[in-house]
Amino acid sequence: MEANKLRLNQQKRQLLKREWASTVWNKTPMEVEDNLRLAIDNYRTVKQQTWDNVITPIMDDKFPLEDMHILAKYDRGSNHYRSFTEVDQCFYFKPSHTDSSEAQYKWTISDDEMRALYHFELQAKGHQATLNVEYDETRRDQNPHYHEKTNATTTELNEIAKPLDRGLWHNNNYRYNSSSNEYSDDISAFSRIVPNTGGCHTRSMMCEESHWEQLKMYAQAQSGLTNAHRELWKVKSELIKDMHSIIDQAKFLAEVQEYWTDVDECVSFETSEISRELSIVSDDTKERLKHSLAVRQSAREQQPKEVEVAVPTQGFALVN
């Protein structure tokens, strides 16, 4: 029997869905991925610029390092309550030119930021880097599959992340002690020794307008990073759902192939029996699926013919 006359059953539909998800994540370059790369570069650039142009000069004036080192000599071990100094990556500022309230700025890296920063590396290793975004957006309960996959991603991040990022990573599973000798070098680029006054909120500092504007740019870079990651999931997820709805309603493979014309390059299976009708597909869905095909065709045409690209498929199906 010809492939396009193949009847679909539940097993074949599941195979098609899994391979379509892999195709969208691995073989369909999209603008949202370029946007995430730009957001990553912007985050790293603005973060360094803000540290150099705002944090360093203000802290040098407010808490000179030579004074802090002298004060640190009187610290008694690692006990926070018996120390005169602490290492901090969190700062409160209040603008001197307006009546705006003080605001907190952190140089630690949240779990969402970490997964966005290493999205492409995680995907290449077979992980679903947007899993946390998916569960947050869909309000799904965190089941054993979720914990298994997030734990695997966390372990992978500890292997592939840069030492500085790993040292500043602040999530529920890994919290590196800033006073620990093991990670003191990793966080030193974005850390300052400050008086132990009971937390960063007790050390609120005034700043001039140019510094305040630079700090706001840093906050925008932080939110821009996580928003770009979230938008990537939304666009890719919508494309996956579009095809899944067609697969669920299709009776024959040919009805799927109408919107996934290169399906035979992605899937191979034997025939079986089942029956179901294909209902009307919206124009928006048709356009998204046609566009995704054009993108993949363009990507294949740009690859050297003698090079075979092997793409891992494990781990990209959405978690139930």
Side-chain angles (χ1 to χ4, degrees), residues 68-86 177 179 196:
M68 293 299 100
H69 287 146
I70 293 174
L71 189 61
K73 293 180 180 180
Y74 298 94
D75 290 344
R76 300 179 180 180
S78 59
N79 190 320
H80 174 80
Y81 299 100
R82 302 178 63 187
S83 299
F84 291 95
T85 65
E86 63 179 340
N177 188 344
S179 62
N196 183 4

Side-chain angles (χ1 to χ4, degrees), residues 298-309:
S298 175
R300 283 196 295 268
E301 290 171 358
Q302 293 176 16
Q303 291 179 354
K305 292 184 178 181
E306 66 275 13
V307 176
E308 295 184 1
V309 180

Side-chain angles (χ1 to χ4, degrees), residues 82-121:
R82 302 178 63 187
S83 299
F84 291 95
T85 65
E86 63 179 340
V87 176
D88 208 355
Q89 305 88 31
C90 162
F91 310 94
Y92 273 83
F93 291 100
K94 181 176 175 57
S96 58
H97 63 289
T98 70
D99 292 330
S100 300
S101 301
E102 64 183 16
Q104 182 188 52
Y105 298 91
K106 294 182 177 181
W107 265 256
T108 53
I109 300 176
S110 71
D111 196 39
D112 287 341
E113 290 171 346
M114 193 72 164
R115 293 172 192 275
L117 285 170
Y118 289 92
H119 170 88
F120 298 103
E121 292 85 349

Side-chain angles (χ1 to χ4, degrees), residues 53-309:
N53 299 332
V54 179
I55 303 302
T56 298
I58 291 179
M59 296 300 291
D60 283 348
D61 179 66
K62 187 79 172 178
F63 305 115
L65 281 174
E66 54 270 24
D67 293 349
M68 293 299 100
H69 287 146
I70 293 174
L71 189 61
K73 293 180 180 180
Y74 298 94
D75 290 344
R76 300 179 180 180
S78 59
N79 190 320
H80 174 80
Y81 299 100
R82 302 178 63 187
S83 299
F84 291 95
T85 65
E86 63 179 340
V87 176
D88 208 355
Q89 305 88 31
C90 162
F91 310 94
Y92 273 83
F93 291 100
K94 181 176 175 57
S96 58
H97 63 289
T98 70
D99 292 330
S100 300
S101 301
E102 64 183 16
Q104 182 188 52
Y105 298 91
K106 294 182 177 181
W107 265 256
T108 53
I109 300 176
S110 71
D111 196 39
D112 287 341
E113 290 171 346
M114 193 72 164
R115 293 172 192 275
L117 285 170
Y118 289 92
H119 170 88
F120 298 103
E121 292 85 349
L122 289 171
Q123 292 292 132
K125 293 287 187 176
H127 300 280
Q128 186 180 343
T130 56
L131 187 61
N132 286 14
V133 176
E134 176 190 331
Y135 271 72
D136 184 52
E137 286 287 331
T138 58
R139 307 292 183 184
R140 298 169 64 184
D141 293 332
Q142 296 180 0
N143 56 31
H145 293 290
Y146 168 86
H147 293 294
E148 178 183 354
K149 288 184 176 295
T150 53
N151 289 340
T153 302
T154 298
T155 300
E156 189 72 58
L157 281 170
N158 277 283
E159 295 293 329
I160 65 176
K162 298 177 182 178
L164 175 59
D165 293 337
R166 188 173 65 246
L168 293 171
W169 184 16
H170 185 188
N171 74 348
N172 293 328
N173 298 320
Y174 289 81
R175 181 67 180 105
Y176 299 123
N177 188 344
S178 60
S179 62
S180 168
N181 290 331
E182 182 179 1
Y183 286 100
S184 60
D185 290 340
D186 292 348
I187 65 174
S188 60
F190 290 130
S191 302
R192 290 291 299 222
I193 302 176
V194 295
N196 183 4
T197 56
C200 59
H201 65 282
T202 65
R203 295 185 292 272
S204 182
M205 296 168 280
M206 301 295 291
C207 67
E208 61 188 43
E209 183 175 3
S210 61
H211 288 161
W212 184 250
E213 293 302 318
Q214 179 71 47
L215 288 165
K216 289 197 297 183
M217 286 180 58
Y218 173 50
Q220 291 169 359
Q222 288 176 299
S223 61
L225 173 65
T226 54
N227 288 341
H229 200 215
R230 190 170 297 270
E231 183 64 18
L232 183 149
W233 174 82
K234 288 181 179 179
V235 172
K236 294 264 186 180
S237 178
E238 183 177 41
L239 192 58
I240 290 171
K241 289 178 181 178
D242 284 342
M243 183 60 72
H244 283 190
S245 68
I246 292 175
I247 293 171
D248 283 336
Q249 300 170 76
K251 181 179 178 181
F252 294 99
L253 179 62
E255 295 168 312
V256 174
Q257 199 166 22
E258 181 180 353
Y259 304 100
W260 184 3
T261 57
D262 56 347
V263 62
D264 56 336
E265 299 182 19
C266 306
V267 183
S268 175
F269 45 67
E270 297 178 356
T271 63
S272 185
E273 295 295 324
I274 197 72
S275 65
R276 193 157 184 181
E277 295 299 325
L278 180 66
S279 62
I280 297 174
V281 179
S282 71
D283 290 337
D284 288 343
T285 296
K286 293 179 182 178
E287 288 304 315
R288 284 193 293 267
L289 295 175
K290 288 179 180 177
H291 178 69
S292 72
L293 172 63
V295 169
R296 292 195 302 280
Q297 288 176 335
S298 175
R300 283 196 295 268
E301 290 171 358
Q302 293 176 16
Q303 291 179 354
K305 292 184 178 181
E306 66 275 13
V307 176
E308 295 184 1
V309 180

